[in-house]
Amino acid sequence: MIPFVNLRAQYKAYKEEIDAAIFSVLESGTLIGGPEVQNFENILCKSTGASEAISCASGTSALTLALAALGLEPGDEVIVPDFTFVATADAVALLGGIPRFADIGLDFLISPSSVEERISSKTVGIIAVDLFGQCANYKALQTIAQKHGLWILEDAAQSIGATQNGKGAGSLSTIAATSFYPTKPFGAYGDAGAILTSDKALAAQVRMYASHGRNPEDHYQTIGTNSRLDALQAAILNVKHAHFAEELLRRQKNAATYSALFSAIPGFEIPKISEGNTSIYAQYAVTCKDREAVLPKLSKANVPTRIYYNSPLSAEPCFARFEKTKEDARSNTNAYRLSKEVFCLPVDAFTDVQALAQTIKNVLLP
């Protein structure tokens, strides 16, 4: 079977460097914090344009810490896209907030007009998700946020390495959260995350919440948690970052191969990349109204596929308790349509996409 993300091939390519980095950490005895973590945070700042990077345990933890630092309180409403991974809305609910679900555009990104329709007297912020590797429309979202006095949290879990008008993902709002889950384009060998900001006060708040609420005077100022990146993961990510730019070029070349293929096949829509954006193609997402008929054919031909996401968040049972969830769902036509039509194909730098494209062509254009 062809893996959807070929992590084994990636490891073999960098094996000597990764093994050396791991053994170096083990020999140092510094397993939490230390130079590898500091080096990784410096790399994040340099590569994204943010002046502060706080590494943590996971992408979900990064979202939760960022929301806590922003001052989210029980009963506050936060607008999130209806078509994304559950963690985006989960983090809001875990802190007692109320997720409001906005529709998406046909580019899979949160719709600014739908966001504005969801704003109420209880709204405090917006979480914009950079889905499938490209950044949300921050210019339009910032205009809305400034008009209504809201903050924006950039969920960059799928976009580190992408740009918008020359600025790096992770630096397109006041604060951003990201993930380094193993299957991300820039992934660790376990859970890992980070918060990015150029606001020193917010960075200090994040660090406090991530360390049991401890302030610089070594007192526990508030209730916090324990969320940190271990040195082994940081060391692995430091090695991978040295190869990341080259991998992104290969991902984009692979995406171009798919786009040329599906542009020539009736019934398929290729990803829409907005003007000013570059995409890292965290996944290559294809839209097909006849998805349920197409996927078995591809599976039979040993073409791996994944569905992200098979249901809008507003349809998930865990959010049914929120009074306005059904109201939001009724107008989220794109989120509901695309959840039934989108599927993704392997696009990583170690997959033979040329061969896969030929197989897909043979299957869909016999």
Side-chain angles (χ1 to χ4, degrees):
M1 294 296 292
I2 300 169
F4 192 79
V5 179
N6 200 338
L7 293 175
R8 292 181 66 184
Q10 186 193 54
Y11 170 62
K12 288 179 181 179
Y14 312 144
K15 184 179 187 305
E16 290 186 10
E17 296 170 77
I18 288 172
D19 288 354
I22 290 171
F23 287 127
S24 176
V25 170
L26 295 176
E27 288 174 354
S28 75
T30 303
L31 301 177
I32 300 293
E36 292 287 359
V37 172
Q38 186 59 59
N39 185 34
F40 176 62
E41 292 179 347
N42 291 340
I43 284 171
L44 283 180
C45 289
K46 186 175 180 180
S47 61
T48 64
S51 64
E52 303 274 347
I54 306 100
S55 55
C56 65
S58 69
T60 302
S61 185
L63 286 166
T64 306
L65 291 168
L67 288 168
L70 287 164
L72 183 68
E73 296 183 353
D76 287 344
E77 293 183 1
V78 178
I79 301 170
V80 303
D82 204 8
F83 185 80
T84 188
F85 185 56
V86 69
T88 307
D90 258 355
V92 175
L94 281 169
L95 292 176
I98 299 171
R100 294 293 310 273
F101 299 101
D103 203 5
I104 58 169
L106 297 181
D107 56 2
F108 313 125
L109 303 171
I110 191 168
S111 162
S113 61
S114 184
V115 166
E116 192 143 33
E117 291 169 0
R118 302 291 182 273
I119 295 172
S120 74
S121 60
K122 294 181 179 180
T123 308
V124 296
I126 304 161
I127 303 181
V129 178
D130 302 338
L131 201 69
F132 296 151
Q134 75 161 323
C135 301
N137 186 347
Y138 287 95
K139 182 178 180 181
L141 293 172
Q142 291 287 3
T143 299
I144 294 168
Q146 290 168 9
K147 177 181 174 182
H148 296 279
L150 310 177
W151 45 255
I152 297 176
L153 167 57
E154 179 184 1
D155 184 338
Q158 299 184 23
S159 65
I160 292 298
T163 62
Q164 183 168 92
N165 298 319
K167 291 187 67 177
S171 67
L172 298 171
S173 66
T174 304
I175 191 167
T178 193
S179 168
F180 305 101
Y181 186 76
T183 56
K184 304 292 184 186
F186 184 29
Y189 283 170
D191 276 315
I195 300 94
L196 299 155
T197 184
S198 292
D199 185 318
K200 291 187 179 298
L202 270 179
Q205 288 290 105
V206 170
R207 290 188 176 96
M208 182 177 68
Y209 282 112
S211 186
H212 294 291
R214 184 172 59 189
N215 64 20
E217 290 74 42
D218 208 26
H219 291 288
Y220 295 92
Q221 184 171 321
T222 188
I223 301 298
T225 188
N226 173 30
S227 182
R228 54 199 175 196
L229 177 67
D230 68 69
L232 284 170
Q233 298 300 341
I236 291 163
L237 286 163
N238 288 337
V239 170
K240 285 193 173 186
H241 188 265
H243 304 278
F244 187 45
E246 181 185 352
E247 284 198 22
L248 288 187
L249 290 175
R250 281 190 264 168
R251 294 181 83 94
Q252 289 163 344
K253 183 178 179 180
N254 287 342
T257 297
Y258 283 136
S259 292
L261 170 66
F262 285 105
S263 294
I265 303 177
F268 290 85
E269 296 176 30
I270 65 173
K272 297 173 174 61
I273 307 303
S274 300
E275 185 178 356
N277 277 357
T278 64
S279 178
I280 62 167
Y281 294 97
Q283 294 85 23
Y284 187 88
V286 184
T287 304
C288 175
K289 292 183 179 179
D290 202 20
R291 184 178 74 182
E292 297 311 307
V294 166
L295 292 187
K297 295 177 182 178
L298 295 179
S299 177
K300 187 176 180 180
N302 198 27
V303 175
T305 61
R306 294 287 185 277
I307 294 176
Y308 303 93
Y309 304 90
N310 66 357
S311 172
L313 294 182
S314 61
E316 294 295 343
C318 60
F319 301 117
R321 63 189 175 94
F322 296 110
E323 182 181 352
K324 295 179 180 177
T325 294
K326 287 185 179 179
E327 177 187 326
D328 291 345
R330 281 194 291 270
S331 59
N332 289 350
T333 54
N334 286 336
Y336 274 75
R337 174 200 149 190
L338 292 172
S339 71
K340 306 305 178 189
E341 296 181 3
V342 173
F343 69 93
C344 296
L345 291 157
V347 72
D348 71 90
F350 294 90
T351 294
D352 187 348
V353 168
Q354 291 287 345
L356 277 180
Q358 185 59 53
T359 300
I360 294 168
K361 183 178 180 181
N362 293 341
V363 170
L364 299 181
L365 288 174

